[in-house]
Amino acid sequence: MHAWATSEEVFVADRTNNPLRQGLVGERLPEPASIVIFGASGDLTKRKLLPALYTLACERMLPPSFAIVGFARKAMTDEEFRAEMKEACSKFARSRPLDPAVWDSFASGLFYQQGDYEDLASYQALKTRLATIDAQRGISGNRVFYLSTPPSTFPVAVARLGAAGMVDPQADRPFTRVIIEKPFGTDLSTAQTLNREVLGVLSEKSVYRIDHYLGKETVQNLMVLRFANGLFEPLWNNRYVDHVQITGAESIGIEGRGGYFEQAGILRDMVQNHLFQVLAITAMEPPVSTSADDLRDEKVKVLKALRPIPEGRFDEFVVRGQYRAGTVAGRRQVAYREETGVAPDSKRESYVALKIHIDNWRWAGVPFYLRSGKAMPKKVTEVALVFRGAPLRLFGETARVAPQPNVLAIRIQPDEGVSLRFGAKVPGNTMDIQPVNMEFRYGTSFGTEPPEAYERLLLDCLLGDQALFTRGDEVEASWKWISRIHKAWETERGEVEMYDAGTWGPDESDRMLLRDGHQWRRP
Amino acid sequence: MTPPPPPPTDEVERFTSGHNVAVDVAAIERDLAALWRKANTGSVSVTRACSWNLVVHTSTDAEFKQAQPLADALVASVPSRTVVLNDRPNATGTEVEAFVTANCKMLPGGGKLVCTEEITIEARGRGGEHLPSLLRALLVPDIPSAVLWSDLPPNNAMVAELLVGVDRVILDSTRASELFRVERLGAQVTSRVADLNWLRSAPLRLIIAAAFDAPSDPAMLFKLRRVSIDAGPDADSSARLLIGWLGARLGWSSPERHTERGARGWTMSRQDRTLQVELRAAERGLTGVTFESDEGVRVRLDVTPSAVTIDTQGTKRSVPFSQRSDADLVVAALGSRGSDKLYQSALHFAVELER
């Protein structure tokens, strides 16, 4: 099954023998299934998962026979769960206000099962309950288990699913798929261990490691931009591209998550997963097809081609920063070290900038600069390809403003779109050149809101399409590169560079680019 | 009731607030460009967005009245240059008149007004003959064009000329007594034909298909003895398209028509079997579909405006069901669903039923 089917493509629910399903254009209707959400009383369920599933129901993307079973420690009845989820969907679903008819039908498929993630008996009870629901709802045993629980519970949850006979790695039908939330490990060694534990019970084709960035419309558009147009790909290499900048900035601080952030830092929280996925898609070779493995093979090749930072030279390639107090968009932001749960002498990075080389034929000599930070002037994620200048400055003598490099910027969020900067003659009797932007904005050109990332990813999982989920070797390849930085930080005496909240990061980050004759864009 | 405020007296303000401004027919593009230039001199920057040329052809007052709100609703999802051709061959007066207006919305965060433009050309008497050439001059280059009818297009030379070079023809066969006209039009044009009647019933087709997902046995579909569809006169062509879809998908052939107990019916063959397909009279709309197999398995779908109840051998489940607005259907017609290969085979089979 392909992730990006063309308009001509026929969507056929995988492996069904239903002749009426064949040829239904534009509709991707999964087979009847139950989704079991582990951690159903948590924030992600309320803010993202249930609202996404409800919106899919509104758009008739869920099969008529469908059930969602919340599974968590908290005691709750089905009715209480439904009431809680109704409130959550009213607040967070893209399709608001709730449509009473759709909600009633959706809610009739919502159930709750109390249980302990470590207790085998809880899983056996869940198994019995699912069988009852199957019979009630006309479901033939297809299951998706969504692990939206603390990472420490992932191995035990998977092991118990296996022990309770709820997963069969060999069986295609009925299917069992397990979605695992990030973080998938905290370094190379823990990621390898987790992969081993998970794959001891499940097959790779049943494991859906989620990185919600891949569900974002603009991240997928990056591939469309590159591989569905004849214009860009010929320029997408070291002959024409001078350097690439990838920015993932957040305007908020750590928002009371000091306990978590002190362990994680921005490198684990944003870079190893989200920004590395964006990097891989930006830099990869055209895949042989859009099938999950062909696509992921290409991403893995990029991650394996990342040049390791030479020992003892981490400061030249990595800048870590931490915000001081400041003002972000007119709002006071306390310093990182004053946040709840943060040590007063913490060296944990709230900002990181990386200079990365990709040692392959296409990108040799082109630096990729990545930066991600908290308490930055605004929330923005973008990829910018900065092109080499014209070979000759024909207007160098007469132009009063020096031509600036062409930039192709792909805005991932917010205000999703693409812009191309080029020089244009200023009207008048002189040869003045001014940079102008040619812009494409999703909101302007299509007029419709792109779907939420979780809507796309949940639907893909139900359809058995793994293309937008990360594979085990991909996760390990990214950790392999990132873990060396963490090790260096632990062993070397590197300092954390401070920056004022509400600015674009520490001066040292600017200096890292200046040394190469570059400067950060102001997104 | 408070009367609506009078249109602004300033020409540019009238233009950007959605009121018609008369322009010189010979210089529509020039006058339009001048209005945009003037609109851009204010404090708010104005961006024109356009991803389709959408031509709406109307021949009656009712169609023209219907076209305006439809065009307004459409541009919210598909920014387009909309050209409304109001062709009135029997009317008298000035042969051709043109008006322009803009549909604007402020982007979130303010500061930028995104606008689409709408050109109305009113042709009276022989003025209609000028419409194809006027239209050719008005199409924005390098973006696709679609022509929309709220019914089937008239069969005349002007329409044939209008369709040259168009990327998509959108029509609605709901009221068509003879679907062969649609098939014939499809054969005449190089563009894709999207039928709102077909798109309107897409959710029902999905639900019907899903009714045969596991644990139901889809093999039943190849052992059918009888299929009955309950439809009112307003849903007759929809019901025939539904039969066309089922027939094309399930390999039915050689429909032989007969009338039985007041219901229209056909005897079909599939490999070495025969089955009966009947169209039973209902009051209004398409209200039900029943599948019965040789082995006595019965699947019944009851359709109401808000839900479809699927009854498989006494086990019932309800699926929410709602009709899309016409604007939503046209948006779908402009997208991938407007070039549905299944439609061609379903239409062809439905036309066979008319023979």
Side-chain angles (χ1 to χ4, degrees), chain A residues 31-36 65 127 130-135 137-145 165-168 171-177, chain B residues 214-215:
Chain A
E31 289 177 59
S34 298
I35 288 194
V36 183
S65 299
K127 187 181 177 184
L130 285 170
T132 311
I133 292 168
D134 275 2
R137 308 277 303 168
I139 298 168
S140 54
N142 293 327
R143 309 261 185 269
V144 170
F145 296 101
M166 297 172 82
V167 293
D168 179 353
D172 271 353
R173 196 138 307 267
F175 65 72
T176 307
R177 297 168 188 150

PDB file of all heavy atoms in Angstrom, chain A residues 31-36 65 127 130-135 137-145 165-168 171-177, chain B residues 214-215:
ATOM      1  N   GLU A  31     -10.296  -1.471   7.199  1.00  0.00           N
ATOM      2  CA  GLU A  31     -11.152  -2.597   7.561  1.00  0.00           C
ATOM      3  C   GLU A  31     -11.651  -2.418   8.996  1.00  0.00           C
ATOM      4  O   GLU A  31     -11.039  -1.701   9.785  1.00  0.00           O
ATOM      5  CB  GLU A  31     -10.334  -3.882   7.502  1.00  0.00           C
ATOM      6  CG  GLU A  31      -9.975  -4.299   6.113  1.00  0.00           C
ATOM      7  CD  GLU A  31      -9.108  -5.535   6.176  1.00  0.00           C
ATOM      8  OE1 GLU A  31      -9.567  -6.547   6.733  1.00  0.00           O
ATOM      9  OE2 GLU A  31      -7.988  -5.471   5.684  1.00  0.00           O
ATOM     10  N   PRO A  32     -12.733  -3.119   9.344  1.00  0.00           N
ATOM     11  CA  PRO A  32     -13.207  -3.051  10.731  1.00  0.00           C
ATOM     12  C   PRO A  32     -12.083  -3.411  11.714  1.00  0.00           C
ATOM     13  O   PRO A  32     -11.319  -4.343  11.453  1.00  0.00           O
ATOM     14  CB  PRO A  32     -14.312  -4.107  10.772  1.00  0.00           C
ATOM     15  CG  PRO A  32     -14.806  -4.183   9.360  1.00  0.00           C
ATOM     16  CD  PRO A  32     -13.598  -3.957   8.501  1.00  0.00           C
ATOM     17  N   ALA A  33     -11.971  -2.656  12.791  1.00  0.00           N
ATOM     18  CA  ALA A  33     -10.869  -2.871  13.733  1.00  0.00           C
ATOM     19  C   ALA A  33     -11.192  -2.225  15.078  1.00  0.00           C
ATOM     20  O   ALA A  33     -12.072  -1.381  15.174  1.00  0.00           O
ATOM     21  CB  ALA A  33      -9.586  -2.272  13.166  1.00  0.00           C
ATOM     22  N   SER A  34     -10.448  -2.657  16.085  1.00  0.00           N
ATOM     23  CA  SER A  34     -10.505  -1.978  17.392  1.00  0.00           C
ATOM     24  C   SER A  34      -9.167  -1.301  17.628  1.00  0.00           C
ATOM     25  O   SER A  34      -8.124  -1.891  17.338  1.00  0.00           O
ATOM     26  CB  SER A  34     -10.685  -2.985  18.527  1.00  0.00           C
ATOM     27  OG  SER A  34     -11.885  -3.676  18.383  1.00  0.00           O
ATOM     28  N   ILE A  35      -9.218  -0.088  18.170  1.00  0.00           N
ATOM     29  CA  ILE A  35      -7.988   0.573  18.618  1.00  0.00           C
ATOM     30  C   ILE A  35      -8.005   0.562  20.138  1.00  0.00           C
ATOM     31  O   ILE A  35      -8.987   1.006  20.748  1.00  0.00           O
ATOM     32  CB  ILE A  35      -7.918   2.028  18.124  1.00  0.00           C
ATOM     33  CG1 ILE A  35      -7.660   2.084  16.621  1.00  0.00           C
ATOM     34  CG2 ILE A  35      -6.835   2.796  18.858  1.00  0.00           C
ATOM     35  CD1 ILE A  35      -7.252   3.455  16.117  1.00  0.00           C
ATOM     36  N   VAL A  36      -6.964   0.041  20.725  1.00  0.00           N
ATOM     37  CA  VAL A  36      -6.854   0.058  22.179  1.00  0.00           C
ATOM     38  C   VAL A  36      -5.797   1.098  22.544  1.00  0.00           C
ATOM     39  O   VAL A  36      -4.657   1.012  22.076  1.00  0.00           O
ATOM     40  CB  VAL A  36      -6.425  -1.325  22.721  1.00  0.00           C
ATOM     41  CG1 VAL A  36      -6.380  -1.306  24.244  1.00  0.00           C
ATOM     42  CG2 VAL A  36      -7.375  -2.411  22.220  1.00  0.00           C
ATOM     43  N   SER A  65     -17.809  -0.695  11.302  1.00  0.00           N
ATOM     44  CA  SER A  65     -17.566  -1.519  12.490  1.00  0.00           C
ATOM     45  C   SER A  65     -16.220  -1.118  13.071  1.00  0.00           C
ATOM     46  O   SER A  65     -15.174  -1.448  12.513  1.00  0.00           O
ATOM     47  CB  SER A  65     -17.520  -3.000  12.112  1.00  0.00           C
ATOM     48  OG  SER A  65     -18.747  -3.361  11.558  1.00  0.00           O
ATOM     49  N   LYS A 127      -8.379  -8.870  26.824  1.00  0.00           N
ATOM     50  CA  LYS A 127      -8.574  -9.770  25.685  1.00  0.00           C
ATOM     51  C   LYS A 127     -10.035 -10.261  25.636  1.00  0.00           C
ATOM     52  O   LYS A 127     -10.671 -10.260  24.582  1.00  0.00           O
ATOM     53  CB  LYS A 127      -7.620 -10.966  25.831  1.00  0.00           C
ATOM     54  CG  LYS A 127      -7.609 -11.892  24.645  1.00  0.00           C
ATOM     55  CD  LYS A 127      -6.652 -13.043  24.915  1.00  0.00           C
ATOM     56  CE  LYS A 127      -6.667 -14.045  23.781  1.00  0.00           C
ATOM     57  NZ  LYS A 127      -5.819 -15.204  24.082  1.00  0.00           N
ATOM     58  N   LEU A 130     -12.291  -7.438  24.566  1.00  0.00           N
ATOM     59  CA  LEU A 130     -12.196  -7.155  23.126  1.00  0.00           C
ATOM     60  C   LEU A 130     -12.995  -8.179  22.320  1.00  0.00           C
ATOM     61  O   LEU A 130     -13.624  -7.827  21.314  1.00  0.00           O
ATOM     62  CB  LEU A 130     -10.728  -7.154  22.682  1.00  0.00           C
ATOM     63  CG  LEU A 130      -9.924  -5.914  23.080  1.00  0.00           C
ATOM     64  CD1 LEU A 130      -8.437  -6.122  22.800  1.00  0.00           C
ATOM     65  CD2 LEU A 130     -10.421  -4.667  22.357  1.00  0.00           C
ATOM     66  N   ALA A 131     -12.977  -9.419  22.787  1.00  0.00           N
ATOM     67  CA  ALA A 131     -13.736 -10.455  22.077  1.00  0.00           C
ATOM     68  C   ALA A 131     -15.230 -10.146  22.139  1.00  0.00           C
ATOM     69  O   ALA A 131     -15.956 -10.307  21.148  1.00  0.00           O
ATOM     70  CB  ALA A 131     -13.436 -11.819  22.690  1.00  0.00           C
ATOM     71  N   THR A 132     -15.675  -9.675  23.296  1.00  0.00           N
ATOM     72  CA  THR A 132     -17.094  -9.304  23.437  1.00  0.00           C
ATOM     73  C   THR A 132     -17.435  -8.145  22.515  1.00  0.00           C
ATOM     74  O   THR A 132     -18.464  -8.140  21.837  1.00  0.00           O
ATOM     75  CB  THR A 132     -17.380  -8.881  24.915  1.00  0.00           C
ATOM     76  OG1 THR A 132     -16.837  -9.865  25.770  1.00  0.00           O
ATOM     77  CG2 THR A 132     -18.851  -8.698  25.173  1.00  0.00           C
ATOM     78  N   ILE A 133     -16.546  -7.158  22.508  1.00  0.00           N
ATOM     79  CA  ILE A 133     -16.790  -5.975  21.661  1.00  0.00           C
ATOM     80  C   ILE A 133     -16.791  -6.385  20.186  1.00  0.00           C
ATOM     81  O   ILE A 133     -17.618  -5.911  19.402  1.00  0.00           O
ATOM     82  CB  ILE A 133     -15.735  -4.884  21.959  1.00  0.00           C
ATOM     83  CG1 ILE A 133     -15.947  -4.328  23.375  1.00  0.00           C
ATOM     84  CG2 ILE A 133     -15.795  -3.754  20.934  1.00  0.00           C
ATOM     85  CD1 ILE A 133     -14.825  -3.456  23.891  1.00  0.00           C
ATOM     86  N   ASP A 134     -15.882  -7.290  19.824  1.00  0.00           N
ATOM     87  CA  ASP A 134     -15.842  -7.786  18.436  1.00  0.00           C
ATOM     88  C   ASP A 134     -17.212  -8.331  18.028  1.00  0.00           C
ATOM     89  O   ASP A 134     -17.724  -8.019  16.956  1.00  0.00           O
ATOM     90  CB  ASP A 134     -14.832  -8.936  18.308  1.00  0.00           C
ATOM     91  CG  ASP A 134     -13.414  -8.422  18.088  1.00  0.00           C
ATOM     92  OD1 ASP A 134     -13.240  -7.200  18.076  1.00  0.00           O
ATOM     93  OD2 ASP A 134     -12.497  -9.255  17.941  1.00  0.00           O
ATOM     94  N   ALA A 135     -17.754  -9.146  18.914  1.00  0.00           N
ATOM     95  CA  ALA A 135     -19.036  -9.782  18.595  1.00  0.00           C
ATOM     96  C   ALA A 135     -20.143  -8.740  18.483  1.00  0.00           C
ATOM     97  O   ALA A 135     -20.978  -8.792  17.584  1.00  0.00           O
ATOM     98  CB  ALA A 135     -19.368 -10.809  19.668  1.00  0.00           C
ATOM     99  N   ARG A 137     -19.825  -5.503  17.753  1.00  0.00           N
ATOM    100  CA  ARG A 137     -19.627  -4.470  16.733  1.00  0.00           C
ATOM    101  C   ARG A 137     -19.346  -5.030  15.343  1.00  0.00           C
ATOM    102  O   ARG A 137     -19.140  -4.273  14.402  1.00  0.00           O
ATOM    103  CB  ARG A 137     -18.452  -3.559  17.130  1.00  0.00           C
ATOM    104  CG  ARG A 137     -18.517  -2.971  18.510  1.00  0.00           C
ATOM    105  CD  ARG A 137     -19.354  -1.740  18.593  1.00  0.00           C
ATOM    106  NE  ARG A 137     -18.944  -0.686  17.700  1.00  0.00           N
ATOM    107  CZ  ARG A 137     -19.673   0.392  17.452  1.00  0.00           C
ATOM    108  NH1 ARG A 137     -20.845   0.534  18.022  1.00  0.00           N
ATOM    109  NH2 ARG A 137     -19.252   1.326  16.624  1.00  0.00           N
ATOM    110  N   GLY A 138     -19.259  -6.341  15.239  1.00  0.00           N
ATOM    111  CA  GLY A 138     -18.984  -6.931  13.925  1.00  0.00           C
ATOM    112  C   GLY A 138     -17.550  -6.729  13.485  1.00  0.00           C
ATOM    113  O   GLY A 138     -17.281  -6.346  12.349  1.00  0.00           O
ATOM    114  N   ILE A 139     -16.619  -6.939  14.426  1.00  0.00           N
ATOM    115  CA  ILE A 139     -15.191  -6.771  14.120  1.00  0.00           C
ATOM    116  C   ILE A 139     -14.553  -8.154  14.115  1.00  0.00           C
ATOM    117  O   ILE A 139     -14.870  -8.985  14.963  1.00  0.00           O
ATOM    118  CB  ILE A 139     -14.522  -5.855  15.173  1.00  0.00           C
ATOM    119  CG1 ILE A 139     -15.171  -4.464  15.129  1.00  0.00           C
ATOM    120  CG2 ILE A 139     -13.008  -5.727  14.926  1.00  0.00           C
ATOM    121  CD1 ILE A 139     -14.808  -3.572  16.277  1.00  0.00           C
ATOM    122  N   SER A 140     -13.672  -8.364  13.157  1.00  0.00           N
ATOM    123  CA  SER A 140     -13.157  -9.734  13.009  1.00  0.00           C
ATOM    124  C   SER A 140     -11.800  -9.936  13.677  1.00  0.00           C
ATOM    125  O   SER A 140     -11.016 -10.770  13.249  1.00  0.00           O
ATOM    126  CB  SER A 140     -13.057 -10.069  11.535  1.00  0.00           C
ATOM    127  OG  SER A 140     -12.287  -9.084  10.897  1.00  0.00           O
ATOM    128  N   GLY A 141     -11.502  -9.175  14.722  1.00  0.00           N
ATOM    129  CA  GLY A 141     -10.273  -9.430  15.485  1.00  0.00           C
ATOM    130  C   GLY A 141      -9.105  -8.525  15.124  1.00  0.00           C
ATOM    131  O   GLY A 141      -8.023  -8.654  15.710  1.00  0.00           O
ATOM    132  N   ASN A 142      -9.293  -7.602  14.168  1.00  0.00           N
ATOM    133  CA  ASN A 142      -8.207  -6.663  13.845  1.00  0.00           C
ATOM    134  C   ASN A 142      -7.984  -5.713  15.019  1.00  0.00           C
ATOM    135  O   ASN A 142      -8.942  -5.177  15.575  1.00  0.00           O
ATOM    136  CB  ASN A 142      -8.557  -5.836  12.598  1.00  0.00           C
ATOM    137  CG  ASN A 142      -8.610  -6.678  11.352  1.00  0.00           C
ATOM    138  OD1 ASN A 142      -7.869  -7.649  11.224  1.00  0.00           O
ATOM    139  ND2 ASN A 142      -9.485  -6.323  10.419  1.00  0.00           N
ATOM    140  N   ARG A 143      -6.701  -5.516  15.367  1.00  0.00           N
ATOM    141  CA  ARG A 143      -6.392  -4.690  16.546  1.00  0.00           C
ATOM    142  C   ARG A 143      -5.256  -3.723  16.260  1.00  0.00           C
ATOM    143  O   ARG A 143      -4.271  -4.092  15.614  1.00  0.00           O
ATOM    144  CB  ARG A 143      -5.885  -5.568  17.695  1.00  0.00           C
ATOM    145  CG  ARG A 143      -6.727  -6.746  18.045  1.00  0.00           C
ATOM    146  CD  ARG A 143      -7.605  -6.404  19.261  1.00  0.00           C
ATOM    147  NE  ARG A 143      -8.327  -7.586  19.679  1.00  0.00           N
ATOM    148  CZ  ARG A 143      -9.543  -7.918  19.237  1.00  0.00           C
ATOM    149  NH1 ARG A 143     -10.162  -7.142  18.366  1.00  0.00           N
ATOM    150  NH2 ARG A 143     -10.152  -9.014  19.662  1.00  0.00           N
ATOM    151  N   VAL A 144      -5.408  -2.522  16.811  1.00  0.00           N
ATOM    152  CA  VAL A 144      -4.267  -1.598  16.881  1.00  0.00           C
ATOM    153  C   VAL A 144      -4.095  -1.263  18.357  1.00  0.00           C
ATOM    154  O   VAL A 144      -5.054  -0.850  19.014  1.00  0.00           O
ATOM    155  CB  VAL A 144      -4.539  -0.307  16.071  1.00  0.00           C
ATOM    156  CG1 VAL A 144      -3.464   0.735  16.346  1.00  0.00           C
ATOM    157  CG2 VAL A 144      -4.613  -0.605  14.581  1.00  0.00           C
ATOM    158  N   PHE A 145      -2.912  -1.477  18.887  1.00  0.00           N
ATOM    159  CA  PHE A 145      -2.619  -1.096  20.268  1.00  0.00           C
ATOM    160  C   PHE A 145      -1.759   0.159  20.231  1.00  0.00           C
ATOM    161  O   PHE A 145      -0.692   0.148  19.611  1.00  0.00           O
ATOM    162  CB  PHE A 145      -1.877  -2.212  21.011  1.00  0.00           C
ATOM    163  CG  PHE A 145      -2.694  -3.466  21.152  1.00  0.00           C
ATOM    164  CD1 PHE A 145      -2.479  -4.561  20.317  1.00  0.00           C
ATOM    165  CD2 PHE A 145      -3.704  -3.548  22.105  1.00  0.00           C
ATOM    166  CE1 PHE A 145      -3.241  -5.715  20.436  1.00  0.00           C
ATOM    167  CE2 PHE A 145      -4.477  -4.708  22.235  1.00  0.00           C
ATOM    168  CZ  PHE A 145      -4.248  -5.789  21.401  1.00  0.00           C
ATOM    169  N   GLY A 165      -1.266 -13.677  24.631  1.00  0.00           N
ATOM    170  CA  GLY A 165      -1.695 -14.220  23.329  1.00  0.00           C
ATOM    171  C   GLY A 165      -2.499 -13.215  22.517  1.00  0.00           C
ATOM    172  O   GLY A 165      -3.389 -13.582  21.753  1.00  0.00           O
ATOM    173  N   MET A 166      -2.176 -11.935  22.696  1.00  0.00           N
ATOM    174  CA  MET A 166      -2.946 -10.911  21.981  1.00  0.00           C
ATOM    175  C   MET A 166      -2.264 -10.469  20.696  1.00  0.00           C
ATOM    176  O   MET A 166      -2.815  -9.656  19.948  1.00  0.00           O
ATOM    177  CB  MET A 166      -3.177  -9.702  22.896  1.00  0.00           C
ATOM    178  CG  MET A 166      -4.008 -10.091  24.108  1.00  0.00           C
ATOM    179  SD  MET A 166      -4.122  -8.781  25.325  1.00  0.00           S
ATOM    180  CE  MET A 166      -5.429  -7.788  24.648  1.00  0.00           C
ATOM    181  N   VAL A 167      -1.053 -10.926  20.477  1.00  0.00           N
ATOM    182  CA  VAL A 167      -0.369 -10.588  19.209  1.00  0.00           C
ATOM    183  C   VAL A 167       0.199 -11.876  18.612  1.00  0.00           C
ATOM    184  O   VAL A 167       0.628 -12.762  19.337  1.00  0.00           O
ATOM    185  CB  VAL A 167       0.780  -9.567  19.413  1.00  0.00           C
ATOM    186  CG1 VAL A 167       0.250  -8.223  19.828  1.00  0.00           C
ATOM    187  CG2 VAL A 167       1.800 -10.053  20.429  1.00  0.00           C
ATOM    188  N   ASP A 168       0.150 -11.936  17.299  1.00  0.00           N
ATOM    189  CA  ASP A 168       0.741 -13.082  16.616  1.00  0.00           C
ATOM    190  C   ASP A 168       1.615 -12.531  15.497  1.00  0.00           C
ATOM    191  O   ASP A 168       1.099 -12.033  14.489  1.00  0.00           O
ATOM    192  CB  ASP A 168      -0.373 -13.973  16.041  1.00  0.00           C
ATOM    193  CG  ASP A 168       0.194 -15.173  15.292  1.00  0.00           C
ATOM    194  OD1 ASP A 168       1.436 -15.231  15.112  1.00  0.00           O
ATOM    195  OD2 ASP A 168      -0.595 -16.039  14.892  1.00  0.00           O
ATOM    196  N   ALA A 171       0.886 -13.786  11.927  1.00  0.00           N
ATOM    197  CA  ALA A 171      -0.430 -13.708  11.274  1.00  0.00           C
ATOM    198  C   ALA A 171      -0.650 -12.371  10.581  1.00  0.00           C
ATOM    199  O   ALA A 171      -0.377 -11.319  11.144  1.00  0.00           O
ATOM    200  CB  ALA A 171      -1.522 -13.935  12.303  1.00  0.00           C
ATOM    201  N   ASP A 172      -1.118 -12.433   9.357  1.00  0.00           N
ATOM    202  CA  ASP A 172      -1.480 -11.226   8.626  1.00  0.00           C
ATOM    203  C   ASP A 172      -2.932 -10.853   8.911  1.00  0.00           C
ATOM    204  O   ASP A 172      -3.325  -9.704   8.821  1.00  0.00           O
ATOM    205  CB  ASP A 172      -1.350 -11.476   7.124  1.00  0.00           C
ATOM    206  CG  ASP A 172       0.045 -11.145   6.646  1.00  0.00           C
ATOM    207  OD1 ASP A 172       0.813 -10.611   7.456  1.00  0.00           O
ATOM    208  OD2 ASP A 172       0.348 -11.431   5.473  1.00  0.00           O
ATOM    209  N   ARG A 173      -3.713 -11.838   9.194  1.00  0.00           N
ATOM    210  CA  ARG A 173      -5.139 -11.632   9.301  1.00  0.00           C
ATOM    211  C   ARG A 173      -5.722 -12.540  10.375  1.00  0.00           C
ATOM    212  O   ARG A 173      -5.473 -13.737  10.320  1.00  0.00           O
ATOM    213  CB  ARG A 173      -5.780 -11.971   7.957  1.00  0.00           C
ATOM    214  CG  ARG A 173      -7.166 -11.472   7.790  1.00  0.00           C
ATOM    215  CD  ARG A 173      -7.363 -10.919   6.417  1.00  0.00           C
ATOM    216  NE  ARG A 173      -6.335  -9.930   6.098  1.00  0.00           N
ATOM    217  CZ  ARG A 173      -6.466  -8.620   6.297  1.00  0.00           C
ATOM    218  NH1 ARG A 173      -7.567  -8.162   6.823  1.00  0.00           N
ATOM    219  NH2 ARG A 173      -5.531  -7.771   5.967  1.00  0.00           N
ATOM    220  N   PRO A 174      -6.434 -12.020  11.359  1.00  0.00           N
ATOM    221  CA  PRO A 174      -6.638 -10.613  11.602  1.00  0.00           C
ATOM    222  C   PRO A 174      -5.317  -9.940  11.972  1.00  0.00           C
ATOM    223  O   PRO A 174      -4.424 -10.580  12.512  1.00  0.00           O
ATOM    224  CB  PRO A 174      -7.621 -10.577  12.775  1.00  0.00           C
ATOM    225  CG  PRO A 174      -7.462 -11.887  13.451  1.00  0.00           C
ATOM    226  CD  PRO A 174      -7.081 -12.865  12.395  1.00  0.00           C
ATOM    227  N   PHE A 175      -5.232  -8.636  11.690  1.00  0.00           N
ATOM    228  CA  PHE A 175      -3.957  -7.961  11.935  1.00  0.00           C
ATOM    229  C   PHE A 175      -3.846  -7.441  13.368  1.00  0.00           C
ATOM    230  O   PHE A 175      -4.859  -7.171  14.023  1.00  0.00           O
ATOM    231  CB  PHE A 175      -3.726  -6.837  10.925  1.00  0.00           C
ATOM    232  CG  PHE A 175      -4.701  -5.683  10.995  1.00  0.00           C
ATOM    233  CD1 PHE A 175      -4.689  -4.767  12.040  1.00  0.00           C
ATOM    234  CD2 PHE A 175      -5.603  -5.462   9.954  1.00  0.00           C
ATOM    235  CE1 PHE A 175      -5.552  -3.678  12.077  1.00  0.00           C
ATOM    236  CE2 PHE A 175      -6.481  -4.374   9.987  1.00  0.00           C
ATOM    237  CZ  PHE A 175      -6.454  -3.496  11.049  1.00  0.00           C
ATOM    238  N   THR A 176      -2.606  -7.356  13.833  1.00  0.00           N
ATOM    239  CA  THR A 176      -2.320  -6.717  15.118  1.00  0.00           C
ATOM    240  C   THR A 176      -1.189  -5.735  14.874  1.00  0.00           C
ATOM    241  O   THR A 176      -0.137  -6.126  14.361  1.00  0.00           O
ATOM    242  CB  THR A 176      -1.838  -7.748  16.158  1.00  0.00           C
ATOM    243  OG1 THR A 176      -2.782  -8.805  16.206  1.00  0.00           O
ATOM    244  CG2 THR A 176      -1.707  -7.123  17.532  1.00  0.00           C
ATOM    245  N   ARG A 177      -1.416  -4.485  15.166  1.00  0.00           N
ATOM    246  CA  ARG A 177      -0.377  -3.461  14.979  1.00  0.00           C
ATOM    247  C   ARG A 177      -0.192  -2.712  16.289  1.00  0.00           C
ATOM    248  O   ARG A 177      -1.159  -2.467  17.005  1.00  0.00           O
ATOM    249  CB  ARG A 177      -0.791  -2.497  13.859  1.00  0.00           C
ATOM    250  CG  ARG A 177      -0.906  -3.224  12.526  1.00  0.00           C
ATOM    251  CD  ARG A 177      -1.579  -2.421  11.434  1.00  0.00           C
ATOM    252  NE  ARG A 177      -1.795  -3.285  10.280  1.00  0.00           N
ATOM    253  CZ  ARG A 177      -2.778  -3.173   9.408  1.00  0.00           C
ATOM    254  NH1 ARG A 177      -3.672  -2.215   9.542  1.00  0.00           N
ATOM    255  NH2 ARG A 177      -2.896  -3.999   8.396  1.00  0.00           N
TER     256      ARG A 177
ATOM    257  N   ALA B 214     -15.093  -8.261   6.091  1.00  0.00           N
ATOM    258  CA  ALA B 214     -15.084  -9.288   7.134  1.00  0.00           C
ATOM    259  C   ALA B 214     -15.588  -8.646   8.436  1.00  0.00           C
ATOM    260  O   ALA B 214     -15.329  -7.465   8.665  1.00  0.00           O
ATOM    261  CB  ALA B 214     -13.648  -9.779   7.331  1.00  0.00           C
ATOM    262  N   PRO B 215     -16.332  -9.341   9.281  1.00  0.00           N
ATOM    263  CA  PRO B 215     -16.594 -10.778   9.225  1.00  0.00           C
ATOM    264  C   PRO B 215     -17.690 -11.194   8.245  1.00  0.00           C
ATOM    265  O   PRO B 215     -17.967 -12.380   8.139  1.00  0.00           O
ATOM    266  CB  PRO B 215     -16.992 -11.103  10.667  1.00  0.00           C
ATOM    267  CG  PRO B 215     -17.587  -9.849  11.190  1.00  0.00           C
ATOM    268  CD  PRO B 215     -16.887  -8.724  10.514  1.00  0.00           C
TER     269      PRO B 215
END
